[in-house]
Amino acid sequence: MIKKKGIQSVLVKPAGPDCNLECTYCFYLQKSALFPESKTHRMTIELLRMLVRQVMDQGENNISFGWQGGEPTLMGISFFKKAVEFQQKFQRSGQHCGNGLQTNGILIDSDWARFFRDTGILVGLSLDGPEFVHDHYRRFSNGQPTWSRVIRARDILLEADVDVNALIVVNDHSVRYPDEIYTFHKENGLKFMQFIPCVEFHPNRKGEPAFFTVSPELYGRFLIRLFNRWHDDFIDGKPSTYIRWFESLFFTYVHLSPPECTLLPECGIYTVIEHNGDIYACDFFVHPKWRLGNIIQDSLSDCLNSPLQNKFGSVKSNLPDVCQKCPWLVHCQGGCPKNRVFHNNTPGLNYLCQSYQMFFKHADPVFRKMAEIWQIQQKKQKIKEQIASGLRIRRNEPCPCGSGKKFKQCCGKE
């Protein structure tokens, strides 16, 4: 019997695919073709109310809303004030709700910043790096650059003490500058970074990557260099900068479920809600084939646990033999299904497989050592708690934390 999945997070596209930029590598602008009834796409307040109520009523005790696009700030502050108001209104006793919003920063001003700070909304700011990196592909529809506007937004958000992450797309251009990108964000106050590999394929030539798609070999080198910078910046054994993929990978080394869906054995743990209430299986699969229903007439929980969503989730675990025999499978789980193509005569192999092979061969010893230290620390903490509760251990006995030392020279000493 399949255990019913509870609603823990939803991804909402309140302005659909609408955006005030026209980035060369954007895959979502073309989704306008799914909604031909109007050129402008906006979620109504009534639909918002219906959505929030369903999520809060049917959701787990800890709920997160992700607001993306397109560009979600096109909805205006009043829309998101209503969203927070509805969350508070329909919140059950003991239920906690968080929000994250991904933005290109063009519309961000001091009013937005105060709102984010006061409501505790985490902001993901799309900023690919220094000017010569960012402006290569991230431009307005008239071709004008955007970097200076995004930098202004960054500074406004940081000045207002908003929690901000840098969202960096790694494409065929930016992949050559790992040091410049990392240093730029670190030195300018964005120490939380999420790197997103750009992998898109030619619409008319199956399996052929788009010109802006990152090269697997170069992306592997990029990850290795980034990992070295991240690890070199550890202070007292702890990271001073935070890179989401590395942090998520660490979970797999200590046998915990990682927070990033691409590292799980199966997909289908959340749903995407479009501006008109349509429910889809995944952000990367907003396609009629994977439309689960609509919140106006369908239950979000039923859609999340529907045969179609379960089918979508199981696709990820259908891996080629080369993956099944790979020593790194326990950590990468085949990667995101959107990047699987007929590649090197192996159907279903991830386009970035070479990247991951290169990276794990380099980083695995470091991750293993980090995991060993973490596990000892966890045991030490448990022993301290047991001692505080009355556990007695002889001074010359081996310390139960597994360090190999006598108790008096280890946890007993502490």
Side-chain angles (χ1 to χ4, degrees):
M1 182 177 178
I2 299 175
K3 183 180 178 181
K4 187 174 182 180
K5 291 173 286 191
I7 299 173
Q8 296 180 337
S9 65
V10 291
L11 185 59
V12 189
K13 307 270 190 177
D18 295 358
C19 190
N20 45 9
L21 298 187
E22 200 166 308
C23 304
T24 306
Y25 52 62
C26 181
F27 74 95
Y28 215 76
L29 285 174
Q30 61 185 323
K31 299 299 179 182
S32 294
L34 294 174
F35 315 106
E37 65 279 358
S38 174
K39 290 185 178 180
T40 302
H41 309 94
R42 300 288 186 270
M43 179 176 284
T44 66
I45 296 299
E46 182 53 38
L47 200 57
L48 172 67
R49 185 180 189 277
M50 193 179 301
L51 163 64
V52 173
R53 182 165 193 168
Q54 274 211 42
V55 174
M56 304 310 288
D57 284 350
Q58 301 171 22
E60 303 280 293
N61 284 337
N62 292 299
I63 291 290
S64 66
F65 286 79
W67 306 93
Q68 292 187 15
E71 176 50 42
T73 59
L74 291 172
M75 301 299 299
I77 295 179
S78 60
F79 177 87
F80 291 99
K81 286 182 177 178
K82 275 292 182 183
V84 173
E85 178 185 317
F86 290 147
Q87 289 168 356
Q88 293 170 346
K89 179 177 181 179
F90 298 122
Q91 198 168 21
R92 302 193 308 267
S93 176
Q95 193 175 39
H96 300 281
C97 181
N99 291 278
L101 184 142
Q102 181 175 326
T103 178
N104 58 35
I106 300 301
L107 298 179
I108 298 301
D109 57 17
S110 57
D111 290 337
W112 275 106
R114 281 193 297 272
F115 170 69
F116 292 142
R117 180 195 61 206
D118 294 346
T119 53
I121 294 177
L122 172 66
V123 176
L125 183 65
S126 294
L127 178 56
D128 283 352
E131 186 172 5
F132 76 95
V133 173
H134 178 90
D135 279 343
H136 192 78
Y137 287 134
R138 295 191 68 82
R139 293 179 173 265
F140 291 104
S141 58
N142 62 4
Q144 291 300 304
T146 63
W147 185 80
S148 60
R149 293 279 295 273
V150 185
I151 292 301
R152 177 177 175 271
R154 179 200 67 190
D155 294 344
I156 289 173
L157 291 168
L158 291 176
E159 181 65 26
D161 222 11
V162 176
D163 289 330
V164 189
N165 291 355
L167 304 179
I168 305 113
V169 175
V170 186
N171 51 64
D172 70 314
H173 176 67
S174 60
V175 73
R176 303 176 188 277
Y177 306 103
D179 286 289
E180 291 85 347
I181 296 170
Y182 178 83
T183 301
F184 172 77
H185 287 306
K186 176 188 171 185
E187 292 184 350
N188 288 282
L190 293 180
K191 295 185 178 181
F192 290 79
M193 310 174 207
Q194 181 178 346
F195 291 85
I196 307 149
C198 182
V199 179
E200 297 295 331
F201 298 98
H202 196 285
N204 301 319
R205 295 194 284 273
K206 188 176 181 181
E208 181 178 328
F211 70 90
F212 44 75
T213 291
V214 67
S215 150
E217 181 180 355
L218 291 181
Y219 186 58
R221 294 179 189 174
F222 182 95
L223 288 174
I224 289 170
R225 182 58 187 156
L226 191 65
F227 181 81
N228 290 345
R229 292 294 306 272
W230 174 71
H231 191 248
D232 287 346
D233 282 340
F234 273 34
I235 297 174
D236 295 330
K238 296 181 180 180
S240 62
T241 60
Y242 298 83
I243 296 177
R244 186 174 184 238
W245 196 60
F246 299 160
E247 303 280 340
S248 296
L249 276 175
F250 181 72
F251 278 67
T252 70
Y253 276 86
V254 294
H255 312 296
L256 296 174
S257 181
E260 191 164 328
C261 61
T262 62
L263 302 179
L264 295 173
E266 290 195 354
C267 299
I269 61 171
Y270 73 98
T271 56
V272 175
I273 297 92
E274 261 289 347
H275 67 287
N276 63 351
D278 282 349
I279 306 167
Y280 291 91
C282 171
D283 182 28
F284 293 116
F285 292 88
V286 174
H287 184 277
K289 178 181 178 180
W290 299 113
R291 182 183 178 276
L292 306 174
N294 187 288
I295 58 169
I296 295 175
Q297 63 264 4
D298 297 304
S299 157
L300 199 56
S301 179
D302 288 347
C303 288
L304 181 64
N305 291 280
S306 66
L308 183 59
Q309 181 71 337
N310 290 331
K311 178 183 177 182
F312 172 78
S314 65
V315 168
K316 189 176 193 294
S317 60
N318 185 21
L319 294 165
D321 288 343
V322 67
C323 289
Q324 300 287 2
K325 299 172 183 177
C326 179
W328 313 123
L329 178 62
V330 67
H331 302 300
C332 85
Q333 297 294 343
C336 182
K338 91 172 185 69
N339 297 337
R340 294 185 190 174
V341 294
F342 191 90
H343 185 56
N344 292 337
N345 299 318
T346 306
L349 188 66
N350 195 300
Y351 173 80
L352 296 175
C353 180
Q354 181 186 0
S355 313
Y356 298 148
Q357 295 271 356
M358 293 169 64
F359 173 77
F360 284 117
K361 286 176 184 176
H362 175 81
D364 181 67
V366 179
F367 272 127
R368 287 183 181 277
K369 185 61 178 177
M370 289 168 56
E372 181 183 329
I373 293 170
W374 181 87
Q375 287 164 342
I376 289 175
Q377 289 172 340
Q378 294 300 301
K379 289 179 180 178
K380 285 179 178 290
Q381 182 59 38
K382 186 175 182 180
I383 290 166
K384 288 178 183 178
E385 292 172 357
Q386 291 174 336
I387 290 172
S389 299
L391 175 69
R392 295 180 63 83
I393 304 171
R394 294 183 182 275
R395 296 177 71 251
N396 290 315
E397 287 181 0
C399 189
C401 77
S403 66
K405 299 179 181 180
K406 293 181 179 180
F407 177 67
K408 67 182 179 182
Q409 296 169 332
C410 192
C411 292
K413 183 179 180 180
E414 295 178 15

